[in-house]
Amino acid sequence: MPDLNLYILSCLIFWPIIGAILVALLPGRVAREAAFVVALLNFIFSLHLVQYWNYTASGYQFEASTPWIPKFGINYHLGVDGLSVLLILLTTFLAPLVILASWNSVQKHVKTFFICLLLLEAALCGVFTALDLILFYVFYEAVLVPIYLLIGIWGGPGRIYASIKYFLANFLGSVLMWLAMFYIYFHQQGAQRSFDYTAFVESAKSLDGSAVSLWLFAAFAIAFAIKSALFPLHTPAPDAYGEAPTAGSVFLSAVLAKIGTYGFLRFVLPSFPEVSTYAAPTMVMLGLIAVIYGAMIAVMQKDFKRTIAYSSISHIGLIVAGIFGALLAGESAGINFSQVALSGASLQMFNHGISTAALFILLGILHERRGTTAISHFGGLAKPMPRFAVLFWIALFSSIGLPGLNGFIGEYLLLQGLMSAQLLYAALGATGVILGAVYMLKLSRNLLFGEITEEANRALPDVNRRETFVVALLLLVALWVGVRPQSFLNFINPDTAKITQSATQSSVELAQR
């Protein structure tokens, strides 16, 4: 039923937009409640995807298309597959929780704040459902507007610099991608030119291996590397993550950074399989440098939000290394380690979103209570805030990959895939994992243990019921993934198998040249 499918996916995009309009029209005193109801309903709508998901099929489900600007081959084309469905669920799940977490922390322009959150949710759902390159680009750019406002209006002391730097860097990457898109578009035959995803990928593949394909690959790769904060294009991210309000930090690290890694899987690997294979060793090393660099900088941080910011850079680096390491991995004992690496990368995108959201929300609670993010102003918080300490420890273990929690299975699959590609890759990736335990345990020690050195910390109120509820839901999902990972991998595996088959074929063709 195409019309019904179109309605289902469109609802995830346009319901938050309608909700933002309603919030704008309602009195300011009910803005929080209205925004929460809108976001909660959108999450309920997204569960329809889970209920009617076909776990045995690869390719797009709930797919529907209608002409938008047919003269230029532009369609309103939506669809989801295993690569995007978990990211949509992550987005719609986080939105109501972030609103609850921000319930009392926003004191100025309250209506505008929640309008920005709803518009950001709508744009993110559009990014992960668009199957037309122009439609994707519209949502890709639209994401920048609400996040720019969230950082610039409600951020910390350096918010103006951070918001402008983040916006300009991502906009520059978008322009490069835009130019590459139009080159591929005009490469098609005049009457058959289209921005539809399938036609566009086939057109890009016809250029793959030519001299220009390396430049096209670079344009897309730079855009997605900036978005995912991949070394050495990561510099806007720590400022943005550190200065953003809690809601902005959560969405930046948990979802917006995944647009970049999603872009590598959705557009780069399918469109440029030969160039991707050729560039894979370089991309893997850049990812592994990000793993170690991000972890080492996190160890030295004196600001707890920036610690998690550099932690995110490290985790995203491992995901990128896994994506491109899959192109170099082999098969042994009937196990295709290319698919193992891609499935691990896809699952870890979701896992990292859950764990980093919990950490940023918990640290946002401290910031809200004390008005500072300097680690030196804390210590001994386990005594006045025991519930906070328990929640923080579980979130910490989730982040560093303790067995039984979500981070473990994703990192295990990624490192297994990298091991198949080259022992050095797995060793460097594991080094980042070890350093991750170092900086997180150091942060925990400095915040929770030792003597209470400042009198203001003795009377800090523990997390309340609302805050406990928000973080507990995130940690329950972390536990669910850790105990039952296959229920999440079932979404991913058919589509990673499809990508693996195409990548393997391209690797063989490249080796024969």
Side-chain angles (χ1 to χ4, degrees), residues 85-162:
V85 66
L86 289 183
L87 295 175
I88 293 170
L89 292 171
L90 176 65
T91 302
T92 59
F93 177 62
L94 286 180
L97 296 185
V98 163
I99 291 172
L100 280 178
S102 307
W103 204 257
N104 295 324
S105 62
V106 182
Q107 303 299 326
K108 62 178 182 179
H109 310 299
V110 176
K111 287 174 64 172
T112 307
F113 179 86
F114 290 106
I115 288 170
C116 285
L117 285 182
L118 292 175
L119 294 178
L120 180 59
E121 180 187 9
L124 288 168
C125 288
V127 166
F128 297 130
T129 58
L131 292 179
D132 180 278
L133 269 292
I134 293 294
L135 188 64
F136 171 81
Y137 190 84
V138 168
F139 290 123
Y140 187 88
E141 289 291 86
V143 165
L144 290 177
V145 178
I147 198 64
Y148 170 79
L149 294 174
L150 285 169
I151 301 170
I153 298 176
W154 296 277
R159 61 186 181 275
I160 302 301
Y161 170 78

Side-chain angles (χ1 to χ4, degrees), residues 178-412:
W178 176 265
L179 294 174
M181 284 167 49
F182 270 91
Y183 185 95
I184 296 170
Y185 173 77
F186 285 107
H187 175 72
Q188 301 174 22
Q189 297 297 324
Q192 300 175 347
R193 286 174 181 162
S194 174
F195 284 100
D196 191 76
Y197 176 77
T198 302
F200 190 88
V201 168
E202 290 303 316
S203 179
K205 287 175 70 175
S206 69
L207 291 166
D208 197 27
S210 66
V212 74
S213 64
L214 183 60
W215 295 103
L216 297 173
F217 167 89
F220 277 91
I222 289 172
F224 295 138
I226 294 172
K227 189 72 76 176
S228 60
L230 179 66
F231 180 90
L233 302 175
H234 66 284
T235 55
D239 291 324
Y241 294 11
E243 297 297 333
T246 298
S249 298
V250 169
F251 270 115
L252 278 165
S253 61
V255 188
L256 267 74
K258 307 312 184 303
I259 296 176
T261 52
Y262 170 78
F264 284 123
L265 285 169
R266 171 66 73 231
F267 299 102
V268 175
L269 265 61
S271 300
F272 311 104
E274 290 190 23
V275 179
S276 296
T277 303
Y278 174 78
T282 301
M283 296 300 295
V284 170
M285 288 309 300
L286 288 176
L288 293 174
I289 290 172
V291 170
I292 298 172
Y293 168 82
M296 292 181 67
I297 299 298
V299 171
M300 297 184 290
Q301 287 302 301
K302 299 179 180 180
D303 179 293
F304 55 60
K305 287 190 72 174
R306 285 182 174 267
T307 300
I308 306 304
Y310 280 102
S311 166
S312 292
I313 292 172
S314 181
H315 283 282
I316 295 296
L318 185 60
I319 293 171
V320 173
I323 290 171
F324 284 92
L327 302 178
L328 307 174
E331 186 172 346
S332 177
I335 299 175
N336 190 325
F337 288 100
S338 293
Q339 184 182 354
V340 169
L342 286 180
S343 294
S346 299
L347 181 61
Q348 194 64 2
M349 287 193 281
F350 179 82
N351 289 340
H352 175 256
I354 294 296
S355 59
T356 197
L359 288 168
F360 268 122
I361 289 173
L362 284 168
L363 295 176
I365 291 170
L366 289 187
H367 184 205
E368 182 180 338
R369 281 160 169 65
R370 283 295 315 275
T372 179
T373 57
I375 298 173
S376 60
H377 288 185
F378 297 92
L381 294 182
K383 294 178 181 178
M385 304 179 71
R387 288 196 301 275
F388 174 91
V390 171
L391 294 173
F392 188 83
W393 265 91
I394 299 173
L396 178 153
F397 287 135
S398 169
S399 178
I400 65 177
L402 184 76
L405 293 171
N406 59 338
F408 172 76
I409 185 63
E411 289 180 351
Y412 172 79

